[in-house]
Amino acid sequence: REEGRGRCFGGAAGTSVGLRSAAMAQTGGSSDLTAQGAQWLQGAKEAVMQMTKGEKKDEDESYSPFQSLQKAAVLQECRCFNDREINPRKCISILTKILWLLAQGEKLTALETTEIFFGVTKLLMHKDQQLRRLLYLVLKELKPSPEEVIIVCATLTKDMNSKVDLNRANALRVLGAIIARTDPTMLAQIERHLKQALVDKNCFVAASALVSGIHLMHVNPEVVRRWVNEVQTALASDNPSVQYHALALLHQIKRQDRLAVSKVVASLTRTPLKSPLAHCLLIRFAKAMMEDGGSERDRALFDFLEASLRHRSDMVIYEAATAICSLTSVAQRELSPSITVLQLFLCSPKPACRFSAVRTLNKIAMAHPMAVTPCNMDMEGLINDSNRSIATLAITTLLKTGSESGVERLMKQITSFMSEIADDFKIVVVDAIRAMCLKFPQKHRLLMTFLANVLREEGGFQYKKAIVDTLLSIIARVPEAKEAGLSHLCEFIEDCEFTLLSTQILYLLGVEGPSTQEPSKYIRFIYNRVVLENATVRASAVSALAKFGISIAYLRPSITVLLQRCLYDNDDEVRDRAIFFVTLLTGLDSGATLAGKSAQSLLLEPLPVPLAALEASCREYLAAPTERPLSIDDVTIDAEMLAKMQKEATSKAAAASEDAGPAADAPAPAMAAPAEEADLLSRMPEFVHVGARFTSSKRVPLSEVGTEYEVVCTKHLYASHLILAFQLNNTLEDQLLSSVTVALDLAAVPGLALETHVPCASLPFGQPGTAYACLRRLEGVPVGTIPCTLKFVVKDVDPATGPTDDEPGYEDEYQLEELEVCAADFMKRVAVLDFRAAWESVGNGCEVVETFSLSYNSIRQAMEAVIDFLGMSPCENSAAAPDDVTKLTVLLSGVFLGGMQVFAIVNLRADSNRAVGMRLTVRSSDMTVSQFVASSVA
């Protein structure tokens, strides 16, 4: 600023000099002096203009008085706290710097904390009020040791009895924070002062005592629970802040007693609260109680939420609307009042109201898009909102709820909007466009053209990756969009600067390109990458070209010529791939095979075994070669490798669910998908003889969650065998289990015999493991219950040091729940496209009709239970029924063990509130199978 003023004065001086020169030119009549004066005047004008621009630039730039502040310099300044004559203004400046350093995450050592703490305690003797308020803040932020706290506690206790309310309130909050952080046992010494402050006439003192109680509740709840009468008195206060904090503390005190909380909530819902903040808090407590109540929702609490929609405070109205919309299994008709309120918020002049409303509507649109449709006209007006966050949420909501006829108009609005927002917002819009394209596949041309246009614009890697992933999803889900999507991606890789995206697209071209109508047009784009790109992209392009040559015979000679040009590439990987594929394509016509498999099946289909297992088998073969060539059918996988793969799959699933957010359905920990697990099981040496898998069941828990040992079983059915996979989890930190097996008592199921056990070698705390049991099916279709017992060798370990080798351990067992083998385990869920035609083709020669009375509250519950009993798949969307339906017909189809097709028609009728009548008709080509399936419901 001073420098700018100097420039200003200099410019003014220059101006005056220029004017004097002009005057001299007039008096003297000299033309040279006149020209010189004009030049001086012009120079002065330019100097003033530059000075003005400089000042504006300085004003726009953010200025921080703490910029480049060093901790060492501040600690050096703290020595003035020990001066005989205290300068309050200087101390205030230093304390502000200390608070700024702590707020920036600066760490103080124990010695530094002690020096500052003792210096600050000396300042407590000064009477300056502003200095004292800063002292309270610094004392609360510092973390002194319990021995040092005693020094300041006496002064703070004295301030709690001060006549100055400001000092009393601050002393309460600081002392409460210090006790909660250092020594909770000191609470008994100041309990009397806190209880008196809870009902103090000064609202700031009472609110400070309540806040201290909330913090102390976490460290010494027994003492705080004795304040319940004082807290209830504070709850009746007229001050909004006191009432809000009193309700929060009262809930903390009674949260362990659900009945007590319900009584508090019920009483407060009948007497309106004066504080909007307290009302919002009460709405959250009411919503939590409704969620805990399960299916039996408290109607009085729901009426309270609806009544809160008519509150005078926007904050309360929005909180009530959000609570109703976030209820589990809320019906669409129950959402109508909340949607109406949020629609009014969309037209509010307050940006906060508009943003909150459109964000909530965006979440509702994921589950109930039809309920949000009436708000579409108002949200279209928000597309041009000056707040880009509001505009982005409005567009994404419209993409989720818009109709097919309005897609074109909406895309025109988005086109002009995309260039004005950041990449983060663009990614959100692209994700919404993906959902809309999958919802309206007929509009894929319009949407893919839009994506292709924005793909050619400037943007970062994450933004481009989101567009590419969206195009890949559309190609996979909409068959008609495949060729157009591949063309757009080919155009993109011509100028793509991201290696990862180029390799991803080249892989897709190699997989999908050969099956298009004109596959040769993609070869030019792929070969350009061989000529123009880096080594990684060139290697991917070589593999993509080879897949065209393997799949299409008439292109094979041309592909071979192109690959031969890569034999002298500078990169080893590119050369190796080129040599391999040239040799493969040359010998393909002669019927050459690799590892016992044809080139098409080996290179174009996924490997039937994990790559790690294939590598291990190759190493074993090289260590001990035989005359018989290595075949991929000989590759096996051991239990340790399978457990490692399951652990990696679990970590990936956990990371994916964490990125998706709390709304995503997170898979159960340490459990791979049953189908993938079963396919790997058939490669284990103990189970290579069982053959191909027929079907797999759902996971069945054999122990409750949170018990000492958690066990979940998955049943895998083969032609003559039943493999039981037990997922195990040890929840005891001081135990290490080894040689873990599940003993089965097969006396109740005579058709099964135990063939082999594969134990879990080690089961430490928190690291899931798996044990297996292979049962051989002797005859028929055995059903029944199998008692299970978990047997293991347990070692006691110290959680701090871990297990020791000298501990021998001892044998122990743990009783599990019984495992049921039912008819659904022998049925594969296979749907048919035309159920009526398939039903008539089977005929009624082997038809069985049964009637049942089921004890269920609704037809939907009965339908889901019957589908689980039968293990069959619904056809023609017959299982999609509203909740309040009274009659329903479900069409089911499945394949029974042995490959026999089975069909069933389930007619359901609601007889009463707790009874559902059912008529079950089963058809198959074998009467025994039909009777067995029909009897499984009973």
Side-chain angles (χ1 to χ4, degrees):
R1 295 292 183 185
E2 295 298 331
E3 185 179 353
R5 292 192 185 96
R7 290 198 302 268
C8 181
F9 295 145
T15 304
S16 63
V17 172
L19 292 174
R20 287 197 299 269
S21 299
M24 291 173 61
Q26 278 186 340
T27 57
S30 173
S31 60
D32 294 337
L33 289 176
T34 303
Q36 187 177 3
Q39 292 177 359
W40 274 99
L41 185 60
Q42 182 65 28
K45 289 180 179 180
E46 292 178 357
V48 171
M49 293 296 294
Q50 291 179 359
M51 178 272 296
T52 307
K53 292 181 181 178
E55 279 195 349
K56 290 183 178 179
K57 184 177 180 182
D58 291 342
E59 290 175 0
D60 294 337
E61 292 178 355
S62 60
Y63 171 73
S64 172
F66 307 111
Q67 194 170 4
S68 67
L69 186 65
Q70 298 295 326
K71 183 178 73 170
V74 176
L75 294 175
Q76 188 75 16
E77 294 178 1
C78 289
R79 295 182 178 180
C80 71
F81 296 162
N82 300 320
D83 294 345
R84 180 171 298 179
E85 294 293 332
I86 299 296
N87 185 348
R89 301 282 76 79
K90 184 178 180 181
C91 293
I92 287 173
S93 176
I94 298 172
L95 292 174
T96 306
K97 293 177 182 178
I98 294 173
L99 289 172
W100 187 85
L101 288 173
L102 294 174
Q104 297 302 311
E106 193 74 44
K107 302 295 184 183
L108 297 177
T109 64
L111 181 60
E112 293 169 348
T113 302
T114 302
E115 290 180 355
I116 296 176
F117 181 75
F118 280 106
V120 168
T121 55
K122 295 179 181 179
L123 297 179
L124 289 171
M125 305 301 295
H126 204 277
K127 301 298 182 182
D128 188 271
Q129 286 297 318
Q130 188 176 1
L131 176 61
R132 199 169 193 83
R133 293 179 67 183
L134 269 177
L135 290 175
Y136 288 132
L137 286 176
V138 174
L139 287 173
K140 193 168 67 170
E141 294 299 326
L142 290 175
K143 297 179 180 178
S145 63
E147 296 79 10
E148 299 168 348
V149 168
I150 301 175
I151 301 171
V152 78
C153 281
T155 303
L156 292 176
T157 305
K158 182 181 178 181
D159 285 351
M160 285 195 300
N161 299 317
S162 173
K163 295 181 179 180
V164 181
D165 292 334
L166 188 63
N167 291 350
R168 292 171 58 205
N170 285 321
L172 285 168
R173 299 189 69 167
V174 174
L175 194 55
I178 290 176
I179 291 175
R181 199 162 46 221
T182 56
D183 189 5
T185 59
M186 294 177 60
L187 177 59
Q189 302 175 15
I190 64 167
E191 181 185 4
R192 178 175 59 84
H193 301 285
L194 284 171
K195 291 179 70 174
Q196 290 176 355
L198 290 173
V199 292
D200 196 274
K201 294 180 179 180
N202 186 279
C203 58
F204 186 33
V205 175
S208 299
L210 290 166
V211 171
S212 299
I214 293 173
H215 291 299
L216 293 168
M217 184 69 192
H218 300 291
V219 295
N220 201 337
E222 293 79 9
V223 175
V224 180
R225 287 194 180 99
R226 298 200 292 258
W227 308 347
V228 62
N229 294 330
E230 287 79 8
V231 175
Q232 288 177 339
T233 304
L235 186 59
S237 173
D238 294 336
N239 184 269
S241 179
V242 174
Q243 196 175 54
Y244 167 68
H245 290 104
L247 180 58
L249 180 56
L250 186 63
H251 181 265
Q252 288 282 337
I253 292 173
K254 298 191 174 185
R255 65 178 179 177
Q256 302 295 338
D257 188 352
R258 189 175 182 276
L259 181 60
V261 173
S262 64
K263 288 182 179 179
V264 171
V265 173
S267 63
L268 293 177
T269 54
R270 293 190 293 267
T271 57
L273 296 170
K274 296 181 180 180
S275 169
L277 287 171
H279 201 127
C280 292
L281 200 59
L282 182 61
I283 289 173
R284 296 188 180 186
F285 295 157
K287 188 242 178 185
M289 286 190 59
M290 294 173 68
E291 295 288 358
D292 293 340
S295 59
E296 298 295 333
R297 186 180 295 167
D298 192 337
R299 188 64 199 177
L301 294 179
F302 189 83
D303 292 340
F304 165 71
L305 296 181
E306 285 192 332
S308 299
L309 295 173
R310 298 182 289 273
H311 199 273
R312 63 179 180 273
S313 172
D314 291 342
M315 179 170 53
V316 175
I317 295 173
Y318 173 71
E319 189 69 36
T322 306
I324 293 175
C325 296
S326 60
L327 285 173
T328 306
S329 65
V330 62
Q332 186 167 329
R333 57 182 175 80
E334 295 175 330
L335 290 173
S336 299
S338 301
I339 299 295
T340 304
V341 168
L342 294 173
Q343 187 174 5
L344 295 175
F345 274 26
L346 294 176
C347 306
S348 172
K350 302 176 182 177
C353 291
R354 298 198 304 272
F355 175 77
S356 57
V358 73
R359 185 179 66 169
T360 304
L361 290 172
N362 186 281
K363 294 179 181 178
I364 300 171
M366 298 178 184
H368 303 279
M370 296 304 296
V372 187
T373 303
C375 305
N376 284 0
M377 293 299 295
D378 297 288
M379 280 189 288
E380 285 186 13
L382 296 178
I383 293 179
N384 298 321
D385 195 282
S386 58
N387 189 310
R388 296 289 87 184
S389 299
I390 296 175
T392 305
L393 286 171
I395 283 180
T396 54
T397 307
L398 287 170
L399 289 172
K400 296 173 185 175
T401 61
S403 60
E404 189 172 359
S405 59
V407 172
E408 295 182 6
R409 184 182 75 256
L410 189 59
M411 297 309 296
K412 289 179 181 177
Q413 293 175 303
I414 296 177
T415 302
S416 60
F417 168 79
M418 290 290 284
S419 60
E420 303 175 3
I421 59 176
D423 282 0
D424 293 340
F425 292 140
K426 290 179 181 178
I427 293 173
V428 176
V429 175
V430 169
D431 291 339
I433 291 175
R434 177 194 312 185
M436 171 169 271
C437 190
L438 299 180
K439 182 180 179 181
F440 304 120
Q442 295 83 2
K443 297 292 183 180
H444 70 272
R445 293 186 182 277
L446 174 65
L447 298 174
M448 292 185 72
T449 302
F450 170 80
L451 292 173
N453 291 334
V454 297
L455 189 59
R456 288 191 285 269
E457 297 176 357
E458 294 294 329
F461 171 73
Q462 295 298 334
Y463 173 48
K464 294 296 182 71
K465 186 177 186 301
I467 300 175
V468 171
D469 291 342
T470 299
L471 289 172
L472 297 182
S473 299
I474 296 173
I475 292 172
R477 300 285 293 275
V478 184
E480 298 83 3
K482 182 169 74 171
E483 298 213 11
L486 292 178
S487 299
H488 291 315
L489 293 174
C490 286
E491 295 291 341
F492 170 64
I493 60 174
E494 289 292 322
D495 300 317
C496 179
E497 57 182 324
F498 303 109
T499 300
L500 179 62
L501 298 182
S502 296
T503 55
Q504 187 178 8
I505 294 171
L506 287 171
Y507 173 78
L508 179 71
L509 290 174
V511 173
E512 300 290 346
S515 60
T516 58
Q517 294 181 355
E518 192 179 351
S520 58
K521 69 178 182 180
Y522 303 108
I523 295 178
R524 174 176 63 88
F525 296 99
I526 299 175
Y527 187 69
N528 284 346
R529 310 279 65 76
V530 177
V531 178
L532 303 173
E533 294 289 353
N534 56 49
T536 305
V537 178
R538 294 201 305 270
S540 299
V542 167
S543 299
L545 284 174
K547 291 178 181 178
F548 278 82
I550 294 172
S551 304
I552 306 170
Y554 72 89
L555 291 178
R556 196 170 298 152
S558 302
I559 298 294
T560 305
V561 173
L562 294 177
L563 291 177
Q564 286 174 347
R565 297 179 182 178
C566 305
L567 296 178
Y568 302 101
D569 193 275
N570 295 330
D571 186 74
D572 295 343
E573 177 71 19
V574 178
R575 290 199 306 271
D576 291 346
R577 291 194 185 195
I579 293 172
F580 171 74
F581 286 122
V582 166
T583 305
L584 179 65
L585 293 177
T586 304
L588 197 60
D589 294 331
S590 61
T593 60
L594 289 173
K597 296 284 184 180
S598 64
Q600 287 87 345
S601 62
L602 193 63
L603 298 178
L604 301 182
E605 298 176 3
L607 282 175
V609 293
L611 194 60
L614 180 61
E615 180 184 1
S617 297
C618 289
R619 292 182 183 278
E620 293 176 1
Y621 185 82
L622 291 175
T626 60
E627 295 181 358
R628 183 170 177 265
L630 177 65
S631 173
I632 201 167
D633 295 328
D634 300 331
V635 177
T636 60
I637 179 171
D638 56 9
E640 183 178 354
M641 185 180 297
L642 181 59
K644 182 179 179 182
M645 295 180 61
Q646 289 177 345
K647 186 177 181 180
E648 293 176 355
T650 302
S651 60
K652 290 181 181 179
S657 63
E658 186 175 336
D659 295 338
D665 294 331
M671 295 180 185
E676 297 177 2
E677 180 183 337
D679 293 337
L680 295 176
L681 283 178
S682 61
R683 291 288 179 173
M684 292 178 61
E686 297 85 355
F687 306 138
V688 291
H689 62 287
V690 299
R693 178 182 61 91
F694 179 71
T695 186
S696 297
S697 71
K698 295 182 179 180
R699 298 183 176 95
V700 181
L702 300 183
S703 63
E704 296 182 0
V705 177
T707 55
E708 297 94 328
Y709 314 111
E710 298 174 352
V711 182
V712 178
C713 178
T714 305
K715 294 168 280 187
H716 305 288
L717 184 67
Y718 297 82
S720 305
H721 294 80
L722 180 66
I723 296 180
L724 305 178
F726 300 97
Q727 285 86 25
L728 312 171
N729 186 27
N730 175 20
T731 63
L732 298 179
E733 192 174 3
D734 57 350
Q735 287 189 0
L736 171 65
L737 308 186
S738 59
S739 302
V740 186
T741 60
V742 178
L744 306 172
D745 185 2
L746 300 176
V749 189
L752 292 175
L754 179 64
E755 191 169 271
T756 183
H757 267 302
V758 179
C760 177
S762 178
L763 190 64
F765 164 73
Q767 299 183 16
T770 308
Y772 303 95
C774 181
L775 308 180
R776 185 161 44 88
R777 189 166 55 86
L778 301 178
E779 57 181 1
V781 183
V783 294
T785 56
I786 303 175
C788 303
T789 305
L790 187 68
K791 294 188 176 183
F792 47 85
V793 176
V794 60
K795 296 180 181 180
D796 295 327
V797 299
D798 185 357
T801 60
T804 56
D805 297 334
D806 54 354
E807 177 69 29
Y810 56 91
E811 294 185 357
D812 200 357
E813 60 182 40
Y814 182 79
Q815 193 66 35
L816 303 174
E817 297 182 8
E818 293 182 340
L819 176 65
E820 182 180 5
V821 180
C822 56
D825 297 331
F826 299 89
M827 184 76 71
K828 181 190 294 187
R829 296 173 182 260
V830 179
V832 294
L833 297 178
D834 191 348
F835 181 86
R836 298 296 176 184
W839 176 266
E840 296 298 334
S841 64
V842 174
N844 59 359
C846 300
E847 180 179 283
V848 176
V849 181
E850 297 284 352
T851 57
F852 301 92
S853 179
L854 308 177
S855 299
Y856 291 99
N857 296 332
S858 65
I859 285 186
R860 174 171 288 278
Q861 293 181 4
M863 175 196 68
E864 294 173 352
V866 170
I867 292 176
D868 287 339
F869 288 148
L870 298 176
M872 304 173 74
S873 176
C875 301
E876 300 180 3
N877 203 27
S878 58
D883 296 333
D884 55 352
V885 68
T886 58
K887 291 183 179 180
L888 181 64
T889 299
V890 185
L891 311 177
L892 301 176
S893 170
V895 177
F896 196 71
L897 179 64
M900 184 178 301
Q901 191 80 38
V902 181
F903 302 98
I905 297 178
V906 182
N907 301 106
L908 300 171
R909 182 188 69 254
D911 293 338
S912 63
N913 292 334
R914 295 189 176 276
V916 176
M918 182 183 74
R919 183 176 185 270
L920 175 62
T921 307
V922 181
R923 286 187 181 183
S924 70
S925 57
D926 190 331
M927 179 60 74
T928 305
V929 173
S930 299
Q931 292 175 348
F932 176 78
V933 173
S935 62
S936 62
V937 179

